Amino acid sequence: IAELETLIAVPIALDDNVQFTVYRPRAIDPGRWHQLLAFAHLAERRPGEDDLPDPVEEVQRQAAAVLGDKAKNYAPVVQDSGAAIPAEGELPFVPEFPGIEVNPPRRSFLWLETVHREEFRIRAGRELDGKTVRGRVTVFLGSIAIAEVACAVRVDAARPEPKREPTPVSARAYRKIF
């Protein structure tokens, strides 16, 4: 009974300003793998944590670091959480895009930090070429869906390849031909 009284007396820490941000490619080539980043983060610092990095800026920094030069071809989609998140609550991310393969099909973590990042890879079949696929990343709190981040991805094999700088080539000239 003493243990039960202790459990009842301890308040559960909840974060009610949680957001989910998904960085999805604007367009993908069919048959090739592309990154999809999903973040769970606070919308702003907790009271008294003014010395910590701003969570939204940290999400942007991490996305830029992971995507590198490809970041300009990605668009972030943000969704507020539909429920407060308890400390150490399990948050599974499940991306679903009809006709698009997702690897891994789900990832989960415990809500312990102000920013959490999960990485997925997506690949469309050739039959989707020229189409826009509308899907979502569903976020669960245990088994309850608390957010659905709607995402649209264009499948386009005709995208222009990024321009590459010409590579200088050198060769020695012949001294005598005849």
Side-chain angles (χ1 to χ4, degrees), residues 93-176:
F93 283 179
V94 182
E96 297 173 287
F97 294 87
I100 293 182
E101 187 178 358
V102 179
N103 185 28
R106 71 183 287 137
R107 300 205 59 166
S108 66
F109 58 90
L110 299 179
W111 178 250
L112 299 170
E113 303 170 42
T114 59
V115 174
H116 289 272
R117 179 182 78 230
E118 296 297 335
E119 298 180 31
F120 299 90
R121 293 169 20 107
I122 59 174
R123 177 172 64 182
R126 301 232 180 261
E127 68 280 359
L128 293 174
D129 190 17
K131 297 181 179 161
T132 297
V133 177
R134 299 189 187 288
R136 66 184 172 271
V137 177
T138 305
V139 183
F140 294 90
L141 176 57
S143 61
I144 300 169
I146 57 169
E148 284 191 353
V149 184
C151 301
V153 177
R154 193 174 78 247
V155 181
D156 190 1
R159 301 188 304 147
E161 289 293 319
K163 292 185 179 181
R164 295 183 183 159
E165 293 296 319
T167 306
V169 177
S170 61
R172 290 186 357 187
Y174 288 110
R175 283 199 258 174
K176 293 184 180 178

Side-chain angles (χ1 to χ4, degrees), residues 1-177:
I1 294 180
E3 290 177 12
L4 183 58
E5 288 174 354
T6 303
L7 289 175
I8 293 171
V10 176
I12 297 174
L14 296 171
D15 284 314
D16 60 1
N17 66 339
V18 177
Q19 292 182 325
F20 304 103
T21 301
V22 175
Y23 280 82
R24 52 102 178 145
R26 289 185 172 95
I28 61 175
D29 296 320
R32 292 188 52 213
W33 288 103
H34 298 269
Q35 290 178 294
L36 178 80
L37 302 179
F39 292 87
H41 59 90
L42 293 176
E44 56 191 32
R45 293 180 188 99
R46 291 181 184 113
E49 293 185 346
D50 295 336
D51 56 332
L52 295 177
D54 178 82
V56 174
E57 290 174 5
E58 179 61 17
V59 166
Q60 294 167 349
R61 187 195 67 73
Q62 286 187 29
V66 170
L67 298 171
D69 293 340
K70 296 182 289 185
K72 65 183 178 290
N73 300 323
Y74 279 71
V77 182
V78 181
Q79 172 73 46
D80 289 332
S81 176
I85 308 299
E88 299 184 26
E90 182 182 9
L91 295 175
F93 283 179
V94 182
E96 297 173 287
F97 294 87
I100 293 182
E101 187 178 358
V102 179
N103 185 28
R106 71 183 287 137
R107 300 205 59 166
S108 66
F109 58 90
L110 299 179
W111 178 250
L112 299 170
E113 303 170 42
T114 59
V115 174
H116 289 272
R117 179 182 78 230
E118 296 297 335
E119 298 180 31
F120 299 90
R121 293 169 20 107
I122 59 174
R123 177 172 64 182
R126 301 232 180 261
E127 68 280 359
L128 293 174
D129 190 17
K131 297 181 179 161
T132 297
V133 177
R134 299 189 187 288
R136 66 184 172 271
V137 177
T138 305
V139 183
F140 294 90
L141 176 57
S143 61
I144 300 169
I146 57 169
E148 284 191 353
V149 184
C151 301
V153 177
R154 193 174 78 247
V155 181
D156 190 1
R159 301 188 304 147
E161 289 293 319
K163 292 185 179 181
R164 295 183 183 159
E165 293 296 319
T167 306
V169 177
S170 61
R172 290 186 357 187
Y174 288 110
R175 283 199 258 174
K176 293 184 180 178
I177 296 178

